[in-house]
Amino acid sequence: MKIIRAPGEQPDKGCSRFGITISQKVSKRAVVRNRLKRQIRAALQTLMPRLQPGLWVVIILRVAALECDYWQFLRELEQLFTELEVCDGH
């Protein structure tokens, strides 16, 4: 999984925006790709109260995401947001 944070000032400071991308190289089946996106969205909902407002982030899923479950996504997102210093755990 990779996270890209939009640089510079954002026009709307109070609203965070997240984009989730997953290529057909990860899975040809839309059902599988949609399930992964739902798991990422659920993990983001859990982390939202701990994140700074006004973030613009793109999350890119790689092939290894096929083997992950919700809890692994949650841990990895928390770790990546902490590295970006946008989570309260930094």
Side-chain angles (χ1 to χ4, degrees):
M1 183 180 325
K2 183 177 180 180
I3 291 185
I4 300 172
R5 182 178 178 191
E9 295 294 317
Q10 312 309 333
D12 186 4
K13 294 281 186 189
C15 182
S16 294
R17 301 176 85 183
F18 297 93
I20 303 168
T21 65
I22 181 166
S23 171
Q24 284 189 351
K25 290 180 184 178
V26 174
S27 176
K28 298 282 186 199
R29 298 178 58 211
V31 173
V32 174
R33 294 192 310 271
N34 290 337
R35 179 181 51 82
L36 292 170
K37 286 182 193 180
R38 282 194 304 272
Q39 288 178 331
I40 292 292
R41 276 192 227 104
L44 284 171
Q45 286 290 7
T46 303
L47 290 173
M48 280 299 291
R50 299 177 48 200
L51 297 177
Q52 295 174 359
L55 290 175
W56 285 19
V57 176
V58 176
I59 300 168
I60 303 169
L61 295 176
R62 304 286 187 200
V63 176
L66 288 172
E67 301 167 6
C68 295
D69 64 358
Y70 167 79
W71 300 107
Q72 290 170 315
F73 284 134
L74 185 63
R75 277 193 304 269
E76 188 163 351
L77 283 171
E78 186 174 19
Q79 177 186 3
L80 291 169
F81 284 130
T82 301
E83 288 173 11
L84 287 173
E85 297 180 354
V86 296
C87 190
D88 67 0
H90 79 279

